[in-house]
């Protein structure tokens, strides 16, 4: 970096001074940021209380299982073998009026709903003869679809009365189970029979259109959480193949990291030369296109503005502009390569040294599994708590007239509550025969229910804080272990026993408060970003151009702020792991140290990012392509059926494998990246603390010293 002036030193702080007692992460340290530690513990305790309260009041069955008209779950209890809901008159779902429109929500509509084993598969209408008073109930053609409380063999009610009260359906159509509901099968309404005309309809087409409209209203009431039912089915049938895909991703990630020790320099230079070669080809191609259109008199000014961008490719000025831009970019990259070649060599040497450190501490590659497990626990706790909070409250039932056209049914206001298991419809027989006790909504009264929104916000904040703390704990632990490697004068004999365990215990014993402090700062910024995204989504339709511009600027600024805080936190955790100081002091020291070596920081960061991007591309891309060919049925194992035939959505396991492979690759590469960053900070401090003399020897490897033209005056292994 060259010799710094006094002004530079005062601006970015004084370089680290030589300390004869320093030989790695200090052991005599005290607890840091105690107040934040207490706040974090209190937040965790409150989070546990919220989870317990949600578990006591919530019932996830509300979103996992459909209900019949009496509020009983289909697929559970007495209806264990009847897992699907059948709507008697689905057309009424599109004709909710008056009190029904305001009272009924979700998937409820003013028609009887019963739990059935199988959905109807044919067009059927009750024959006219069954509307005669002589028709007996025991002869009803579809007894399996009637309400369970009706005994057709013993009832005295005529079929006409049974249908009027909606105790049995008077028609069926081909349906298929969709999220536990019998909905019209795809294309079935396009093949409706010519004699299938429901009462009040003039033609089969009118009947089909009415059913389509009602089906759309029912589907629009689906809770988003219920989509998970089919996804869970796909996971149940493909989980073992998903695990195999994730295992392949783990092996590929491990192989790539181990090969970096021997191929880091080759990969980096191949990637750099590849980028230069691609740009050089672009320059040649632009010149070739420019030469082809050289005789053309068409200019950009004559073309003007057009949405057909291919027109611009017919103009020589376009290719000339591309040629100039690519040539300037190529020149800049070549100049950077020439002047920064030494720093690129330092970055490569640090990457190779990181591979060597990982080789001495293979347990570091296993540690991300612990971090990943903690993150899974956090995500699972957040998801379960959110689900239980969303389903808090007892079911509320009210007396509702299913057929509002009946005489005297106007007296049924829909405000009278009832118990579906004790409801006696005979009391309303003389006034409104179609009356029924129907589930309306979940009770939102009570202190706990009135504060569900606030509790959901607390759930999100606590979740983000816990996740960021777990990540911070992992980074600080790895930093302490790799710092102990760098500051071991004779490697590997001076490396302490169980460095990962020692670093982990130091973090838990002394620095929970500091890690929680850094995690809290990041959590606040992330929560503000979530709020901005919510507001942007909520008011996008009513925003003018100026408001959209301001919102876009805010989102961009907070995105940049989050990236900067993550970078600063990461280096602050390294300094905490080494020196045991509080978060603010560590963040300041790390920032000043990096600013004193800003060019090296930029070069190392970009070279490392290039390597890790290439590694992730290989792992995720390879596993993703393999998963696509397998789960889509293009690859078939010998003696096995197509896995795609067992799935509702074949993309579910593909996305799961790709996301899992990315997380696994990120976990392994995060160890490597943390090792590079830690060794880099140690390397910078090594240059500032020591000079290679017998009293102040360098701790860096021989390869780094040879690049810097430095050497120790005493023998040093490594």
């Amino acid at each position: 970096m060259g010799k710094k002036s006094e002004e530079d030193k005062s601006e970015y702080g004084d370089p680290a001074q030589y300390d004869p007692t320093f030989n790695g992460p200090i052991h005599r340290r005290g607890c840091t940021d105690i107040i934040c530690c207490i706040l974090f513990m209190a937040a965790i305790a409150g989070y546990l209380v919220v989870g317990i309260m949600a578990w006591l009041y919530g019932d996830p069955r509300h979103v996992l299982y459909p209900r019949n008209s009496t509020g009983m779950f289909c697929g559970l209890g007495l209806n264990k073998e009847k897992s699907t809901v059948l709507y008697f008159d689905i057309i009424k779902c599109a004709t909710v009026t008056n009190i029904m429109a305001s009272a009924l929500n979700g998937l409820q509509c003013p028609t009887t709903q019963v739990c059935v084993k199988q959905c109807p598969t044919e067009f059927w209408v009750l024959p006219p003869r069954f509307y005669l008073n002589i028709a007996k109930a025991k002869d009803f053609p579809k007894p399996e679809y009637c309400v369970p409380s009706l005994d057709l063999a013993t009832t005295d009610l005529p079929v006409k009365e049974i249908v009027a009260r909606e105790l049995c359906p008077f028609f069926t159509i081909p349906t298929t189970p969709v999220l536990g509901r019998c909905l019209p099968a795809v294309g079935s309404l396009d093949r409706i029979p010519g004699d299938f005309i429901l009462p009040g309809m003039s033609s089969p087409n009118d009947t089909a259109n009415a059913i389509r409209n009602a089906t759309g209203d029912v589907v629009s009431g689906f809770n988003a959480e219920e989509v998970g039912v089919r996804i869970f089915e796909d996971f149940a049938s493909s989980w073992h193949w998903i695990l195999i895909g994730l295992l392949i991703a783990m092996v590929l990630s491990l192989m790539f990291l181990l090969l970096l020790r021997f191929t880091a320099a080759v990969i980096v230079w191949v990637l750099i030369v590849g980028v230069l070669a691609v740009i050089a080809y672009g320059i040649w191609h632009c010149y070739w296109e420019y030469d082809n259109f050289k005789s053309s008199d068409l200019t950009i000014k004559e073309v003007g503005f057009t949405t057909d961008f291919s027109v611009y490719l017919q103009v020589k000025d376009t290719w000339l502009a591309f040629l100039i831009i690519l040539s300037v970019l190529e020149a800049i990259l070549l100049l950077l390569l020439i002047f920064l070649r030494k720093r690129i060599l330092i970055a490569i040497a640090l990457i190779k040294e990181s591979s060597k450190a990982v080789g001495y501490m293979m347990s570091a590659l296993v540690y991300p599994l612990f971090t990943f497990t903690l993150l899974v626990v956090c995500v699972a706790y957040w998801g379960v708590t959110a689900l239980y909070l969303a389903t808090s409250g007892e079911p509320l039932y009210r007396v509702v007239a299913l057929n509002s056209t009946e005489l005297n049914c106007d007296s049924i206001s829909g405000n009278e509550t009832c118990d579906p298991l004790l409801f006696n419809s005979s009391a309303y027989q003389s006034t409104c025969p179609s009356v029924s006790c129907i589930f309306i909504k979940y009770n939102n009264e009570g202190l706990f229910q009135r504060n569900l929104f606030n509790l959901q916000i607390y759930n999100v904040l606590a979740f983000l804080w816990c996740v960021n703390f777990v990540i911070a704990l992992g980074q600080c632990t790895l930093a302490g272990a790799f710092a102990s490697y760098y500051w071991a004068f004779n490697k590997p004999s001076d490396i302490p026993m169980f460095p990962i365990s020692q670093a982990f215990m130091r973090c838990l014993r002394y620095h929970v408060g500091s890690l929680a402090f850094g995690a809290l700062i990041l959590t606040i910024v992330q929560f503000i970003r979530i709020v901005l995204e919510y507001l942007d989504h909520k008011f996008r339709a009513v925003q003018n151009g100026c408001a959209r511009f301001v919102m876009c600027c805010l989102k961009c600024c907070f995105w940049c702020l989050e990236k900067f805080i993550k970078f600063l936190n990461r280096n602050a955790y390294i300094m905490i792991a080494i020196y045991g100081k509080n978060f603010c002091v560590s963040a300041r020291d790390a920032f000043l140290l990096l600013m004193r070596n800003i060019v090296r920081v930029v070069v190392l960061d970009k070279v490392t990012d290039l390597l890790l991007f290439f590694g992730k591309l290989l792992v995720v891309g390879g596993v993703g392509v393999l998963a696509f060919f397998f789960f889509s049925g293009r690859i078939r194992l010998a003696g096995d059926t197509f896995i795609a035939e067992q799935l509702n959505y074949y993309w579910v396991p593909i996305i799961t494998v790709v996301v899992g492979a990315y997380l696994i690759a990120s976990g392994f590469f995060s160890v490597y990246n943390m090792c590079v960053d830690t060794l880099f900070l140690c390397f910078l401090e090594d240059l500032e603390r020591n000079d290679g003399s017998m009293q102040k020897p360098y701790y860096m490897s021989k390869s780094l010293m040879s690049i810097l033209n430095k050497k120790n005056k005493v023998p040093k292994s490594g």
Side-chain angles (χ1 to χ4, degrees):
M1 290 296 294
K3 188 175 181 180
K4 291 195 174 289
S5 64
E6 294 298 328
E7 292 78 6
D8 292 334
K9 291 183 179 180
S10 61
E11 183 179 359
Y12 299 123
D14 296 330
Q17 301 299 316
Y18 173 71
D19 182 1
T21 63
F22 178 77
N23 61 351
I26 63 174
H27 297 281
R28 299 185 62 183
R29 57 179 71 196
C31 296
T32 55
D33 296 305
I34 299 176
I35 295 178
C36 196
C37 178
I38 296 173
L39 289 176
F40 182 65
M41 295 301 176
I44 295 297
Y47 201 17
L48 293 176
V49 171
V50 171
I52 293 173
M53 295 293 292
W55 181 77
L56 291 175
Y57 285 96
D59 188 355
R61 296 180 301 174
H62 296 335
V63 295
L64 297 179
Y65 297 94
R67 290 175 178 268
N68 61 15
S69 295
T70 62
M72 298 182 66
F73 293 108
C74 298
L76 292 177
L78 298 176
N79 296 320
K80 186 175 182 179
E81 297 182 356
K82 301 178 180 180
S83 58
T84 313
V85 164
L86 171 66
Y87 297 87
F88 276 12
D89 189 357
I90 196 172
I91 296 177
K92 290 185 177 180
C93 297
T95 58
V96 180
T97 58
N98 301 331
I99 186 64
M100 305 298 292
S102 60
L104 299 178
N105 70 335
L107 297 177
Q108 299 300 312
C109 65
T111 187
T112 301
Q113 300 153 42
V114 296
C115 301
V116 296
K117 292 182 179 180
Q118 293 181 340
C119 294
T121 58
E122 60 180 352
F123 288 99
W124 169 82
V125 178
L126 185 67
R129 61 185 177 86
F130 281 95
Y131 288 95
L132 301 177
N133 291 331
I134 60 174
K136 297 180 179 180
K138 64 179 182 180
D139 297 327
F140 189 82
K142 301 286 185 180
E144 66 272 20
Y145 299 136
C146 296
V147 296
S149 59
L150 177 65
D151 188 352
L152 293 175
T154 60
T155 183
D156 295 330
L157 294 174
V159 174
K160 179 180 179 180
E161 188 71 17
I162 291 174
V163 172
R165 295 188 186 183
E166 288 201 6
L167 299 177
C168 293
F170 69 94
F171 76 94
T172 64
I173 59 175
T175 56
T176 184
V178 179
L179 299 178
R181 279 87 184 173
C182 293
L183 298 181
V186 177
S188 62
L189 297 178
D190 297 331
R191 302 186 301 271
I192 190 169
D195 58 348
F196 188 79
I197 303 176
L198 298 181
M201 306 293 172
S202 59
S203 66
N205 287 336
D206 290 342
T207 301
N209 290 332
I211 294 175
R212 287 192 187 97
N213 293 336
T215 303
D217 287 352
V218 172
V219 172
S220 65
F222 281 170
N223 292 319
E225 295 90 344
E226 294 175 353
V227 177
V229 174
R230 282 181 174 262
I231 294 178
F232 287 153
E233 294 177 356
D234 290 339
F235 280 131
S237 59
S238 61
W239 65 269
H240 48 291
W241 296 112
I242 293 176
L243 290 181
I244 293 176
L246 298 181
L247 181 62
I248 294 174
M250 189 179 300
V251 173
L252 289 178
S253 301
L254 182 60
M255 289 177 59
F256 184 83
L257 291 182
L258 294 179
L259 287 174
L260 276 182
R261 181 172 179 177
F262 309 100
T263 61
V266 175
I267 294 176
V268 169
W269 287 115
V270 166
L271 291 176
I272 292 175
V273 173
V275 171
L276 294 174
V278 169
I279 297 177
Y281 170 78
I283 294 173
W284 174 83
H285 183 79
C286 290
Y287 176 78
W288 181 74
E289 292 285 358
Y290 173 77
D291 189 63
N292 289 338
F293 294 105
K294 196 171 184 179
S295 59
S296 175
D297 296 329
L298 187 63
T299 63
I300 292 288
K301 186 176 181 180
E302 294 175 352
V303 173
F305 177 77
T306 177
T307 56
D308 186 7
F309 293 101
S310 61
V311 176
Y312 294 111
L313 300 180
Q314 311 299 320
V315 182
K316 63 178 181 180
D317 294 344
T318 302
W319 295 107
L320 179 61
F322 287 159
L323 176 63
I324 295 173
I325 293 173
L326 291 178
S327 298
V328 171
L329 181 61
E330 183 84 344
I332 292 174
L333 291 179
L334 285 173
L335 290 174
L336 289 176
L337 185 62
I338 293 172
F339 288 105
L340 299 179
R341 64 187 185 282
K342 189 173 182 179
R343 291 181 172 86
I344 294 176
L345 292 175
I346 294 175
I348 294 174
L350 279 171
I351 290 172
K352 295 173 69 175
E353 188 70 12
S354 299
S355 299
K356 190 183 297 184
V358 172
Y360 285 127
M361 302 179 185
M362 293 300 292
S363 59
L365 294 176
V366 181
Y367 184 80
L369 297 179
F370 175 73
T371 301
F372 180 74
T373 302
L374 292 180
L375 291 177
V376 169
V377 171
C378 293
V379 173
Y381 187 82
W382 166 79
V384 171
T385 302
L387 179 61
Y388 273 84
L389 285 174
T391 57
S392 297
E394 292 294 326
L396 183 62
Y397 302 88
R398 289 181 182 172
V399 178
V400 176
L402 296 179
N403 188 359
S404 59
T405 61
E406 290 181 344
L407 185 64
N408 298 325
C409 279
D410 292 339
S411 61
I412 307 298
S413 63
N415 294 324
E416 182 182 354
T417 60
C418 57
D419 186 342
L421 299 180
L422 304 176
F423 181 70
N424 184 11
S425 60
S426 60
Y428 302 86
Q429 185 62 39
S430 59
T431 57
C432 187
S434 65
V435 75
S436 182
C437 182
I438 290 184
F439 164 73
I440 299 297
K441 62 178 182 178
Y442 304 110
N443 190 6
N444 57 2
E445 298 177 359
L447 179 63
F448 181 77
Q449 283 74 23
R450 288 197 302 269
N451 289 278
L452 287 180
F453 180 74
N454 297 331
L455 293 175
Q456 289 285 22
I457 292 178
Y458 183 83
N459 185 29
V460 173
L461 281 171
F463 164 71
L464 292 175
W465 199 359
C466 290
V467 167
N468 289 325
F469 175 80
V470 169
I471 295 174
L473 178 62
Q475 292 177 344
C476 194
T477 299
L478 292 173
F482 291 127
S484 65
Y485 164 83
Y486 185 93
W487 296 109
F489 192 82
N490 295 306
K491 303 176 179 65
S493 59
D494 289 346
I495 300 176
M497 293 289 292
F498 308 112
I500 297 291
S501 301
Q502 291 186 23
F504 179 74
M505 294 307 299
R506 283 197 300 269
C507 291
L508 285 185
R509 182 177 178 183
Y510 298 109
H511 306 304
V512 170
S514 297
L515 301 182
F517 191 8
L520 178 61
I521 297 173
L522 184 58
T523 296
I524 294 173
V525 175
Q526 290 175 336
F527 183 74
I528 293 175
R529 288 193 62 203
I530 293 174
V531 173
L532 289 176
E533 291 290 347
Y534 173 78
L535 294 176
D536 185 37
H537 175 75
K538 200 73 173 178
F539 302 111
R540 179 167 295 180
V542 296
Q543 288 177 352
N544 55 30
C546 181
R548 285 196 297 270
F549 174 76
V550 172
M551 181 62 70
C552 183
C553 291
L554 287 174
K555 289 164 61 177
C556 180
C557 290
F558 277 97
W559 179 84
C560 295
L561 181 60
E562 180 184 354
K563 294 297 182 182
F564 173 75
I565 290 177
K566 284 183 176 180
F567 174 78
L568 186 62
N569 282 4
R570 185 184 187 89
N571 290 282
Y573 299 148
I574 296 174
M575 302 301 279
I576 290 172
I578 298 175
Y579 299 105
K581 299 179 181 179
N582 63 45
F583 177 81
C584 293
V585 174
S586 299
R588 182 202 63 191
D589 292 344
F591 179 75
L592 294 177
L593 177 62
L594 294 175
M595 289 302 297
R596 292 196 296 268
N597 301 271
I598 187 62
V599 177
R600 285 175 178 160
V601 173
V602 174
V603 172
L604 178 72
D605 186 60
K606 295 309 174 186
V607 171
T608 305
D609 287 347
L610 189 66
L611 264 181
L612 296 185
F613 172 76
F614 181 69
K616 288 181 182 180
L617 187 66
L618 284 178
V619 174
V620 179
V623 174
V625 170
L626 181 63
F628 172 77
F629 279 99
F630 180 74
F631 289 110
S632 63
R634 290 170 171 80
I635 295 179
R636 182 176 182 178
L637 299 181
D640 195 8
T641 59
F642 283 112
I643 186 65
E645 298 174 358
Q646 306 172 16
L647 301 174
N648 296 307
Y649 314 111
Y650 73 86
W651 48 264
V652 169
I654 295 176
I655 293 178
T656 304
V657 170
V658 170
V659 172
Y662 177 80
L663 293 176
I664 289 173
S666 298
F668 278 101
F669 294 168
S670 67
V671 174
Y672 201 82
N673 204 5
M674 199 68 205
C675 184
V676 173
D677 289 347
T678 303
L679 297 187
F680 180 58
L681 284 184
C682 294
F683 164 74
L684 296 180
E685 289 228 342
D686 193 9
L687 286 176
E688 292 185 350
R689 286 178 177 274
N690 306 310
D691 57 10
S693 63
M694 296 184 62
Q695 294 79 17
K696 298 187 289 184
Y698 291 116
Y699 284 77
M700 68 184 72
S701 64
K702 290 181 178 179
S703 59
L704 279 171
M705 283 191 287
S706 63
I707 294 173
L708 297 172
N709 294 322
K710 297 180 181 294
K711 63 180 180 178
N712 282 329
K713 294 182 179 179
V714 293
K716 178 179 181 296
S717 59

